[in-house]
Amino acid sequence: MQNKKRLTFRKVITSSELIEQINPENQKLVDRFLKNFSTKRSPKSVLVYKSNYNIFFCYVLLYCDNKSFIDLKKFEILDFFDFGVTELKWSPNRFHQMHSSLCSLSDWIENVMDEYYPNFKNIVKKIEKPAKELIREKSVFTKDELYGLMNWLGEINKPQEQCLLSLMMGSGARADEFANFTTDLIDENNLAFEGLFLETTNEMRVKGRGVNGKRIKRYIIKDVFLPYYKQWLPIREQIMKENGIEHNYIFVKSDGEPATTSTIRSWMEKWDKPLSKHFYPHSTRHYWCTTLLAAGLEAELVQELQQWGSSEMLNIYNDATAKDRKWKGLAKLRAELEKESFSEELNKIQESNNN
Protein backbone atom coordinates (compact mmCIF):
# COMPACT_ATOMS: atom_id res chain seq x y z
CA MET A 1 0.00 0.00 0.00
CA GLN A 2 1.32 3.42 -0.90
CA ASN A 3 2.50 5.56 2.01
CA LYS A 4 0.07 8.47 2.35
CA LYS A 5 1.96 10.38 5.03
CA ARG A 6 3.42 13.78 4.22
CA LEU A 7 7.19 13.54 4.41
CA THR A 8 9.44 16.18 5.97
CA PHE A 9 13.16 16.42 5.21
CA ARG A 10 15.37 16.70 8.30
CA LYS A 11 19.08 17.40 8.47
CA VAL A 12 20.70 18.33 11.77
CA ILE A 13 23.76 20.58 12.10
CA THR A 14 23.56 21.01 15.87
CA SER A 15 24.87 18.86 18.70
CA SER A 16 25.42 19.37 22.41
CA GLU A 17 29.19 19.50 21.76
CA LEU A 18 28.84 22.24 19.15
CA ILE A 19 26.38 24.23 21.25
CA GLU A 20 28.90 24.28 24.10
CA GLN A 21 31.45 25.86 21.73
CA ILE A 22 29.21 28.75 20.63
CA ASN A 23 30.88 32.13 21.13
CA PRO A 24 30.12 33.12 24.77
CA GLU A 25 29.17 36.63 23.69
CA ASN A 26 26.56 35.23 21.29
CA GLN A 27 25.24 32.87 23.92
CA LYS A 28 24.98 35.71 26.43
CA LEU A 29 23.01 37.83 23.95
CA VAL A 30 20.63 34.96 23.23
CA ASP A 31 20.10 34.17 26.91
CA ARG A 32 19.35 37.80 27.73
CA PHE A 33 17.00 38.16 24.79
CA LEU A 34 15.12 34.94 25.58
CA LYS A 35 14.74 35.99 29.21
CA ASN A 36 12.93 39.12 28.02
CA PHE A 37 11.11 37.25 25.24
CA SER A 38 9.72 34.72 27.75
CA THR A 39 7.79 37.47 29.54
CA LYS A 40 5.75 38.10 26.39
CA ARG A 41 5.49 34.76 24.60
CA SER A 42 4.50 31.21 25.47
CA PRO A 43 7.09 28.64 26.65
CA LYS A 44 6.57 26.79 23.36
CA SER A 45 7.52 29.91 21.36
CA VAL A 46 10.62 30.36 23.52
CA LEU A 47 11.72 26.80 22.77
CA VAL A 48 11.23 27.35 19.03
CA TYR A 49 13.34 30.51 19.07
CA LYS A 50 16.02 28.87 21.21
CA SER A 51 16.24 25.98 18.76
CA ASN A 52 16.55 28.42 15.85
CA TYR A 53 19.38 30.27 17.58
CA ASN A 54 21.22 27.01 18.24
CA ILE A 55 21.03 26.20 14.53
CA PHE A 56 22.19 29.66 13.49
CA PHE A 57 25.09 29.94 15.92
CA CYS A 58 26.28 26.39 15.25
CA TYR A 59 26.43 27.45 11.60
CA VAL A 60 28.39 30.58 12.62
CA LEU A 61 30.75 28.34 14.60
CA LEU A 62 31.31 26.02 11.65
CA TYR A 63 31.37 28.47 8.74
CA CYS A 64 32.00 31.98 10.11
CA ASP A 65 34.85 31.40 12.57
CA ASN A 66 32.50 31.67 15.53
CA LYS A 67 32.24 35.43 15.08
CA SER A 68 30.26 37.69 17.34
CA PHE A 69 26.75 38.24 16.00
CA ILE A 70 27.48 41.97 16.14
CA ASP A 71 30.33 41.61 13.65
CA LEU A 72 28.60 39.45 11.07
CA LYS A 73 28.24 40.91 7.59
CA LYS A 74 25.13 40.86 5.48
CA PHE A 75 26.64 38.43 2.96
CA GLU A 76 27.44 36.00 5.79
CA ILE A 77 23.84 36.02 6.99
CA LEU A 78 22.68 35.63 3.38
CA ASP A 79 25.01 32.63 3.05
CA PHE A 80 23.32 31.11 6.10
CA PHE A 81 19.87 31.44 4.57
CA ASP A 82 21.18 30.01 1.29
CA PHE A 83 22.58 27.10 3.29
CA GLY A 84 19.18 26.61 4.89
CA VAL A 85 17.47 26.41 1.51
CA THR A 86 20.03 24.26 -0.31
CA GLU A 87 21.39 22.02 2.45
CA LEU A 88 18.65 21.94 5.08
CA LYS A 89 15.89 21.98 2.43
CA TRP A 90 13.92 24.72 4.13
CA SER A 91 10.45 25.47 2.92
CA PRO A 92 9.47 29.13 2.48
CA ASN A 93 7.58 28.90 5.78
CA ARG A 94 10.66 27.58 7.58
CA PHE A 95 12.71 30.37 6.01
CA HIS A 96 10.22 32.93 7.34
CA GLN A 97 10.35 31.41 10.83
CA MET A 98 14.14 31.61 11.02
CA HIS A 99 14.10 35.10 9.52
CA SER A 100 11.63 36.22 12.19
CA SER A 101 13.78 34.74 14.98
CA LEU A 102 16.94 36.52 13.84
CA CYS A 103 15.07 39.77 13.17
CA SER A 104 13.63 39.73 16.69
CA LEU A 105 17.08 39.25 18.21
CA SER A 106 18.52 42.00 16.00
CA ASP A 107 15.75 44.46 16.85
CA TRP A 108 16.25 43.78 20.55
CA ILE A 109 19.99 44.43 20.32
CA GLU A 110 19.42 47.61 18.32
CA ASN A 111 16.74 48.97 20.64
CA VAL A 112 17.77 47.66 24.07
CA MET A 113 21.51 47.06 23.88
CA ASP A 114 22.31 50.27 22.00
CA GLU A 115 24.49 51.56 24.84
CA TYR A 116 26.81 48.60 24.37
CA TYR A 117 26.49 48.36 20.58
CA PRO A 118 25.69 51.90 19.36
CA ASN A 119 26.59 51.13 15.73
CA PHE A 120 24.62 47.89 15.42
CA LYS A 121 21.82 47.79 12.84
CA ASN A 122 19.37 45.06 11.99
CA ILE A 123 20.70 43.79 8.67
CA VAL A 124 18.62 40.61 8.74
CA LYS A 125 15.57 42.53 7.56
CA LYS A 126 17.47 43.36 4.37
CA ILE A 127 17.50 39.65 3.48
CA GLU A 128 14.69 39.06 0.99
CA LYS A 129 12.17 36.44 2.06
CA PRO A 130 10.60 34.02 -0.43
CA ALA A 131 6.86 34.04 -0.93
CA LYS A 132 5.04 31.62 1.33
CA GLU A 133 3.54 28.70 -0.50
CA LEU A 134 1.93 25.34 0.10
CA ILE A 135 4.67 22.72 -0.12
CA ARG A 136 2.70 19.68 0.98
CA GLU A 137 -0.36 18.21 -0.61
CA LYS A 138 -3.39 19.20 1.42
CA SER A 139 -5.92 16.55 2.37
CA VAL A 140 -9.44 17.86 1.80
CA PHE A 141 -12.08 15.57 3.26
CA THR A 142 -15.78 15.33 2.46
CA LYS A 143 -18.49 14.57 4.99
CA ASP A 144 -18.85 11.05 3.58
CA GLU A 145 -15.11 10.37 3.96
CA LEU A 146 -14.97 11.48 7.58
CA TYR A 147 -18.12 9.62 8.54
CA GLY A 148 -16.66 6.61 6.74
CA LEU A 149 -13.70 6.93 9.11
CA MET A 150 -16.14 7.28 12.01
CA ASN A 151 -17.90 4.05 11.04
CA TRP A 152 -14.56 2.25 10.69
CA LEU A 153 -13.59 3.34 14.23
CA GLY A 154 -16.91 1.91 15.42
CA GLU A 155 -16.28 -1.38 13.64
CA ILE A 156 -12.92 -1.82 15.38
CA ASN A 157 -14.46 -0.81 18.75
CA LYS A 158 -12.78 2.55 19.29
CA PRO A 159 -15.54 4.64 20.95
CA GLN A 160 -13.04 7.05 22.49
CA GLU A 161 -11.53 7.80 19.11
CA GLN A 162 -15.03 8.26 17.68
CA CYS A 163 -15.62 10.83 20.41
CA LEU A 164 -12.34 12.54 19.53
CA LEU A 165 -13.13 12.64 15.80
CA SER A 166 -16.60 14.04 16.49
CA LEU A 167 -15.07 16.77 18.66
CA MET A 168 -12.60 17.61 15.91
CA MET A 169 -15.33 17.77 13.27
CA GLY A 170 -17.68 19.68 15.52
CA SER A 171 -15.33 22.29 16.99
CA GLY A 172 -12.58 23.05 14.48
CA ALA A 173 -10.16 23.20 17.41
CA ARG A 174 -6.40 22.76 17.14
CA ALA A 175 -4.66 19.46 17.87
CA ASP A 176 -2.98 20.75 21.02
CA GLU A 177 -6.34 21.63 22.58
CA PHE A 178 -8.00 18.22 22.65
CA ALA A 179 -6.02 16.86 25.61
CA ASN A 180 -7.28 19.85 27.62
CA PHE A 181 -10.99 19.21 27.12
CA THR A 182 -12.66 18.19 30.40
CA THR A 183 -16.12 16.94 31.32
CA ASP A 184 -16.60 20.16 33.29
CA LEU A 185 -16.46 22.12 30.03
CA ILE A 186 -19.32 20.16 28.47
CA ASP A 187 -22.91 20.82 29.56
CA GLU A 188 -25.51 19.65 27.08
CA ASN A 189 -27.89 22.35 28.34
CA ASN A 190 -25.37 25.15 27.80
CA LEU A 191 -26.35 25.95 24.23
CA ALA A 192 -25.73 28.90 21.94
CA PHE A 193 -26.82 30.18 18.53
CA GLU A 194 -30.38 28.84 18.52
CA GLY A 195 -29.37 25.61 20.23
CA LEU A 196 -27.16 24.38 17.40
CA PHE A 197 -23.88 24.71 19.29
CA LEU A 198 -22.63 23.57 22.68
CA GLU A 199 -20.76 26.41 24.37
CA THR A 200 -17.97 25.36 26.75
CA THR A 201 -18.77 26.40 30.31
CA ASN A 202 -15.43 28.16 30.65
CA GLU A 203 -12.82 29.66 28.37
CA MET A 204 -9.99 27.47 27.08
CA ARG A 205 -6.42 28.39 26.33
CA VAL A 206 -5.74 28.42 22.60
CA LYS A 207 -2.86 29.52 20.42
CA GLY A 208 -2.12 33.22 20.56
CA ARG A 209 0.44 35.81 21.47
CA GLY A 210 1.50 36.23 25.08
CA VAL A 211 2.79 33.92 27.82
CA ASN A 212 -0.62 32.35 28.36
CA GLY A 213 -1.80 32.44 24.76
CA LYS A 214 -5.42 33.46 24.20
CA ARG A 215 -8.47 32.27 26.14
CA ILE A 216 -11.79 31.73 24.35
CA LYS A 217 -14.94 29.68 24.67
CA ARG A 218 -15.25 26.84 22.21
CA TYR A 219 -18.43 26.24 20.22
CA ILE A 220 -19.14 22.65 19.21
CA ILE A 221 -21.84 21.55 16.76
CA LYS A 222 -24.14 19.72 19.16
CA ASP A 223 -25.53 17.03 16.87
CA VAL A 224 -22.08 16.13 15.56
CA PHE A 225 -20.43 15.69 18.97
CA LEU A 226 -23.00 14.85 21.65
CA PRO A 227 -24.04 11.32 20.55
CA TYR A 228 -20.42 10.07 20.50
CA TYR A 229 -19.60 11.91 23.74
CA LYS A 230 -22.51 10.26 25.56
CA GLN A 231 -21.51 6.89 24.15
CA TRP A 232 -17.94 7.31 25.45
CA LEU A 233 -18.61 8.66 28.97
CA PRO A 234 -19.74 5.40 30.70
CA ILE A 235 -16.86 3.48 29.09
CA ARG A 236 -14.44 6.16 30.30
CA GLU A 237 -15.85 5.96 33.83
CA GLN A 238 -15.43 2.18 33.88
CA ILE A 239 -11.78 2.40 32.78
CA MET A 240 -11.01 4.97 35.46
CA LYS A 241 -12.86 3.01 38.15
CA GLU A 242 -10.96 -0.19 37.32
CA ASN A 243 -7.66 1.69 37.62
CA GLY A 244 -8.57 3.72 40.70
CA ILE A 245 -8.08 7.00 38.81
CA GLU A 246 -10.04 10.22 39.31
CA HIS A 247 -9.86 13.29 37.05
CA ASN A 248 -12.13 15.20 34.69
CA TYR A 249 -10.25 14.94 31.38
CA ILE A 250 -12.38 13.51 28.59
CA PHE A 251 -9.68 11.48 26.86
CA VAL A 252 -7.72 8.84 28.76
CA LYS A 253 -4.94 6.33 28.29
CA SER A 254 -5.54 2.61 28.74
CA ASP A 255 -4.51 2.94 32.42
CA GLY A 256 -7.03 5.71 33.03
CA GLU A 257 -4.50 8.53 33.21
CA PRO A 258 -5.24 11.66 31.14
CA ALA A 259 -4.27 11.32 27.49
CA THR A 260 -1.52 13.65 26.34
CA THR A 261 -1.31 15.36 22.97
CA SER A 262 1.28 12.79 21.88
CA THR A 263 -1.12 9.99 22.90
CA ILE A 264 -3.92 11.54 20.87
CA ARG A 265 -1.64 12.00 17.86
CA SER A 266 -0.65 8.32 18.08
CA TRP A 267 -4.32 7.36 17.72
CA MET A 268 -4.66 9.53 14.64
CA GLU A 269 -1.65 7.91 12.98
CA LYS A 270 -3.77 4.78 12.45
CA TRP A 271 -6.67 6.66 10.87
CA ASP A 272 -5.12 6.59 7.40
CA LYS A 273 -6.02 2.92 7.00
CA PRO A 274 -9.62 3.34 5.76
CA LEU A 275 -8.91 6.63 3.96
CA SER A 276 -7.60 7.32 0.48
CA LYS A 277 -5.48 10.26 1.67
CA HIS A 278 -3.38 11.18 4.68
CA PHE A 279 -5.24 12.31 7.80
CA TYR A 280 -3.75 15.05 9.94
CA PRO A 281 -5.56 16.99 12.68
CA HIS A 282 -5.61 20.34 10.90
CA SER A 283 -7.65 18.82 8.09
CA THR A 284 -10.74 18.75 10.34
CA ARG A 285 -10.22 22.45 11.10
CA HIS A 286 -10.49 23.07 7.37
CA TYR A 287 -13.49 20.72 7.17
CA TRP A 288 -15.30 22.57 9.96
CA CYS A 289 -14.87 25.97 8.31
CA THR A 290 -15.69 24.73 4.81
CA THR A 291 -18.80 22.86 5.96
CA LEU A 292 -20.29 25.79 7.87
CA LEU A 293 -19.70 28.24 5.03
CA ALA A 294 -21.08 25.80 2.46
CA ALA A 295 -24.19 25.35 4.60
CA GLY A 296 -24.84 29.08 4.30
CA LEU A 297 -23.59 30.28 7.69
CA GLU A 298 -22.53 33.92 7.54
CA ALA A 299 -18.79 34.48 7.30
CA GLU A 300 -18.99 36.89 10.24
CA LEU A 301 -20.50 34.18 12.44
CA VAL A 302 -17.89 31.59 11.45
CA GLN A 303 -15.19 34.11 12.33
CA GLU A 304 -16.91 34.82 15.65
CA LEU A 305 -17.17 31.13 16.55
CA GLN A 306 -13.41 30.75 16.21
CA GLN A 307 -12.66 34.20 17.65
CA TRP A 308 -10.42 34.91 14.67
CA GLY A 309 -9.08 38.45 14.67
CA SER A 310 -9.08 38.66 10.88
CA SER A 311 -11.46 37.56 8.14
CA GLU A 312 -8.37 36.43 6.21
CA MET A 313 -8.48 33.25 8.33
CA LEU A 314 -11.70 32.32 6.52
CA ASN A 315 -9.83 32.24 3.22
CA ILE A 316 -7.11 30.06 4.75
CA TYR A 317 -9.46 27.44 6.16
CA ASN A 318 -12.22 27.42 3.54
CA ASP A 319 -11.35 24.65 1.07
CA ALA A 320 -14.31 25.28 -1.21
CA THR A 321 -13.30 26.03 -4.79
CA ALA A 322 -15.08 28.43 -7.13
CA LYS A 323 -16.98 25.44 -8.59
CA ASP A 324 -18.23 24.48 -5.10
CA ARG A 325 -19.72 27.89 -4.33
CA LYS A 326 -23.27 28.94 -5.06
CA TRP A 327 -23.22 31.88 -7.47
CA LYS A 328 -26.36 34.00 -7.71
CA GLY A 329 -25.40 35.07 -11.22
CA LEU A 330 -25.70 31.51 -12.51
CA ALA A 331 -29.47 31.58 -11.95
CA LYS A 332 -29.65 34.74 -14.07
CA LEU A 333 -27.61 33.07 -16.79
CA ARG A 334 -29.84 29.99 -16.69
CA ALA A 335 -32.95 32.17 -17.03
CA GLU A 336 -31.43 33.99 -20.01
CA LEU A 337 -30.56 30.71 -21.71
CA GLU A 338 -34.07 29.43 -21.21
CA LYS A 339 -35.73 32.46 -22.83
CA GLU A 340 -37.79 31.64 -25.94
CA SER A 341 -35.92 34.14 -28.12
CA PHE A 342 -32.62 32.54 -27.22
CA SER A 343 -33.98 29.07 -27.92
CA GLU A 344 -35.26 30.17 -31.34
CA GLU A 345 -31.87 31.62 -32.24
CA LEU A 346 -30.17 28.42 -31.11
CA ASN A 347 -32.55 26.33 -33.24
CA LYS A 348 -31.77 28.46 -36.30
CA ILE A 349 -28.05 27.89 -35.82
CA GLN A 350 -28.57 24.14 -35.45
CA GLU A 351 -30.74 23.99 -38.59
CA SER A 352 -28.10 25.94 -40.51
CA ASN A 353 -25.42 23.52 -39.41
CA ASN A 354 -27.53 20.55 -40.42
CA ASN A 355 -27.99 21.98 -43.91
Side-chain angles (χ1 to χ4, degrees):
M1 182 177 180
Q2 186 179 3
N3 185 5
K4 293 175 282 189
K5 287 191 177 182
R6 304 186 302 174
L7 301 179
T8 301
F9 177 88
R10 297 192 186 280
K11 180 176 179 179
V12 179
I13 66 165
T14 60
S15 68
S16 56
E17 292 80 6
L18 289 175
I19 292 171
E20 288 178 1
Q21 298 175 53
I22 289 174
N23 185 323
E25 182 183 2
N26 291 336
Q27 192 62 66
K28 187 175 181 180
L29 284 172
V30 167
D31 291 343
R32 276 191 167 183
F33 168 73
L34 289 177
K35 182 179 179 181
N36 176 257
F37 187 71
S38 67
T39 65
K40 297 172 285 190
R41 298 295 183 88
S42 69
K44 186 175 181 180
S45 294
V46 175
L47 287 175
V48 170
Y49 272 57
K50 184 176 181 179
S51 173
N52 286 341
Y53 295 140
N54 283 339
I55 293 170
F56 176 74
F57 286 112
C58 280
Y59 172 88
V60 172
L61 167 67
L62 294 171
Y63 299 101
C64 300
D65 300 322
N66 212 12
K67 274 184 170 182
S68 165
F69 184 63
I70 306 302
D71 297 327
L72 286 172
K73 305 300 182 185
K74 186 165 60 176
F75 76 86
E76 291 173 312
I77 295 178
L78 179 61
D79 285 346
F80 166 70
F81 281 100
D82 289 343
F83 178 86
V85 172
T86 58
E87 298 297 325
L88 302 183
K89 309 299 182 186
W90 285 352
S91 68
N93 290 345
R94 183 71 179 94
F95 189 110
H96 277 247
Q97 186 193 72
M98 181 63 76
H99 193 280
S100 177
S101 297
L102 294 179
C103 257
S104 295
L105 176 61
S106 298
D107 284 340
W108 179 80
I109 295 171
E110 185 175 345
N111 297 326
V112 177
M113 302 295 289
D114 52 321
E115 293 180 3
Y116 294 94
Y117 309 107
N119 298 318
F120 178 83
K121 299 295 181 184
N122 181 356
I123 57 176
V124 177
K125 62 185 178 183
K126 295 183 180 293
I127 305 297
E128 185 179 357
K129 295 177 289 185
K132 288 188 176 182
E133 59 184 32
L134 184 66
I135 60 163
R136 299 174 176 178
E137 184 177 353
K138 183 165 63 175
S139 297
V140 178
F141 289 103
T142 65
K143 179 180 178 180
D144 288 344
E145 287 173 321
L146 289 180
Y147 274 104
L149 171 59
M150 187 76 78
N151 293 335
W152 178 78
L153 291 172
E155 291 170 2
I156 62 173
N157 194 28
K158 297 290 184 180
Q160 176 168 216
E161 294 180 35
Q162 285 184 299
C163 180
L164 171 62
L165 178 59
S166 70
L167 180 57
M168 297 173 75
M169 293 170 62
S171 69
R174 288 180 172 274
D176 292 344
E177 297 175 36
F178 297 115
N180 298 324
F181 272 89
T182 64
T183 55
D184 297 343
L185 289 170
I186 307 299
D187 178 356
E188 64 179 289
N189 297 312
N190 193 42
L191 303 176
F193 301 104
E194 301 185 12
L196 294 174
F197 290 85
L198 292 170
E199 180 184 58
T200 55
T201 55
N202 286 303
E203 294 179 336
M204 298 184 64
R205 177 179 171 179
V206 299
K207 183 179 179 181
R209 289 184 178 272
V211 176
N212 297 315
K214 183 169 69 171
R215 299 191 69 84
I216 66 171
K217 286 192 174 182
R218 276 289 176 207
Y219 295 94
I220 309 163
I221 304 173
K222 181 186 68 173
D223 291 344
V224 172
F225 172 65
L226 208 53
Y228 297 99
Y229 176 65
K230 287 183 172 181
Q231 173 187 259
W232 164 240
L233 279 184
I235 303 171
R236 168 188 172 276
E237 293 300 320
Q238 184 63 31
I239 293 172
M240 293 173 62
K241 182 178 180 180
E242 290 174 354
N243 288 277
I245 302 291
E246 290 186 13
H247 61 74
N248 60 356
Y249 290 98
I250 293 177
F251 302 110
V252 302
K253 299 179 182 179
S254 58
D255 61 2
E257 292 290 344
T260 63
T261 297
S262 60
T263 304
I264 289 172
R265 285 184 178 276
S266 72
W267 298 342
M268 296 181 205
E269 288 177 359
K270 304 178 182 70
W271 291 3
D272 276 2
K273 189 171 182 179
L275 298 170
S276 61
K277 62 197 82 165
H278 176 53
F279 182 92
Y280 51 95
H282 228 56
S283 61
T284 51
R285 192 164 166 83
H286 284 260
Y287 169 83
W288 180 91
C289 180
T290 305
T291 299
L292 293 188
L293 290 173
L297 213 64
E298 292 85 347
E300 294 83 358
L301 179 53
V302 175
Q303 183 178 343
E304 176 65 25
L305 291 170
Q306 288 290 343
Q307 291 291 288
W308 285 329
S310 168
S311 60
E312 180 62 27
M313 299 297 287
L314 295 168
N315 297 328
I316 293 174
Y317 286 104
N318 183 10
D319 290 329
T321 66
K323 292 185 291 185
D324 298 324
R325 292 176 59 186
K326 296 179 180 179
W327 299 93
K328 294 180 180 179
L330 292 177
K332 296 178 181 179
L333 175 60
R334 185 183 302 279
E336 183 66 29
L337 294 174
E338 291 175 350
K339 283 183 178 179
E340 185 176 349
S341 58
F342 186 89
S343 298
E344 290 177 355
E345 184 66 25
L346 183 62
N347 289 333
K348 290 180 181 178
I349 294 173
Q350 290 176 338
E351 289 175 4
S352 175
N353 289 338
N354 292 334
N355 295 331

